[in-house]
Amino acid sequence: MSQMRLDSVRSMYDERSEQYDENTVHVRQAQDYLEWAQLKRGESVLDLGWGTGLVTLGAKRAVGESGHVVGIDISEGMLNVASRKAAAAGLEITFINHDISDLSSPEILPKFSRSFDVITFGIVPGGRLVTDVQTKDANLVMNIFAAIAPEVGESVPWDAHRWHSPQALEDLMVEAGLKVDKIWETGSYATTQYDPATASQIYEQAVSKSMFKNFGRDEIREKTKGLFVDRLAELAGAYGFNC
């Protein structure tokens, strides 16, 4: 990942860190992760991209004092929030501020935890993997910006790839040499209705956030806004409702 993209991702999550837990979607996803992982006392867990520790803290409670939990995340803002929460709860967790896309050096991890029973977003031989991906219909605003980015000479700091079916994801896992225990689509974590009549306001609200601010630059704002409004209207017509 390029340094520019790393900086963009870091800034995006630093800005969101203090309000991150206010989004019930994140809380519900974390609860599902812990249920899916089926953690046991004494196990070791590596949480890649821990955020504010919603999964990490729950994992430590599940594995107990005899278990180890290590979290790695690029955002210092998220680190500060997660560390405060762990300290307040009296939980001993190792938090490492680092880019999860570059774990090539074994020195990144503490010596006691070079192997793990459960990993979120990664895997080692003999371990269990718990991960999730967004489907092609998830997050309308993100999808629109990802679609129009090439037309305005911009890029998005997130992976714009969407899986078209659970089978496509399962095929990838099998190709990677993993044994798939279960794969499925969850219900929607949040339902937001967007009225095409307010597309301009939706655009303005979006570009006021760090996640989409590059699409609000003066030199491309007019073109980007027009493309955004048109694309949202197209999707609303395609689905037959205010999407």
Side-chain angles (χ1 to χ4, degrees), residues 46-240:
L46 174 61
D47 187 8
L48 299 177
W50 78 69
T52 58
L54 289 170
V55 172
T56 328
L57 272 67
K60 180 57 181 175
R61 292 187 179 99
V63 302
E65 293 185 4
S66 59
H68 298 293
V69 177
V70 177
I72 302 178
D73 198 290
I74 196 173
S75 167
E76 188 172 347
M78 293 292 192
L79 168 64
N80 293 336
V81 174
S83 297
R84 289 202 310 265
K85 289 165 62 176
L91 298 173
E92 185 177 348
I93 298 171
T94 301
F95 291 112
I96 302 171
N97 189 204
H98 191 78
D99 171 20
I100 65 171
S101 69
D102 179 19
L103 301 178
S104 56
S105 172
E107 299 307 315
I108 294 170
L109 298 173
K111 291 183 178 180
F112 68 81
S113 57
R114 297 286 170 81
S115 63
F116 297 89
D117 298 292
V118 178
I119 300 181
T120 63
F121 294 105
I123 193 65
V124 293
R128 305 196 303 278
L129 167 67
V130 181
T131 190
D132 73 284
V133 296
Q134 291 190 352
T135 62
K136 63 184 178 66
D137 297 323
N139 203 315
L140 175 70
V141 173
M142 287 178 65
N143 287 348
I144 292 177
F145 279 119
I148 67 177
E151 297 185 56
V152 294
E154 276 296 340
S155 61
V156 292
W158 61 88
D159 184 357
H161 185 80
R162 295 291 180 269
W163 301 99
H164 294 284
S165 69
Q167 187 62 51
L169 179 58
E170 182 171 355
D171 290 344
L172 177 68
M173 296 294 183
V174 172
E175 184 179 340
L178 301 177
K179 178 183 177 182
V180 178
D181 178 60
K182 186 177 182 181
I183 187 168
W184 70 98
E185 285 191 46
T186 69
S188 176
Y189 284 101
T191 302
T192 303
Q193 288 197 329
Y194 296 100
D195 185 348
T198 63
S200 292
Q201 293 95 308
I202 296 170
Y203 165 83
E204 294 294 347
Q205 183 179 25
V207 298
S208 69
K209 302 175 181 178
S210 62
M211 193 171 189
F212 306 112
K213 66 181 180 181
N214 53 323
F215 290 94
R217 293 187 293 109
D218 290 341
E219 55 268 38
I220 64 169
R221 176 181 283 270
E222 184 176 352
K223 180 178 181 179
T224 304
K225 187 174 184 177
L227 290 169
F228 183 95
V229 170
D230 290 346
R231 182 60 178 154
L232 195 148
E234 290 173 9
L235 290 172
Y239 285 106

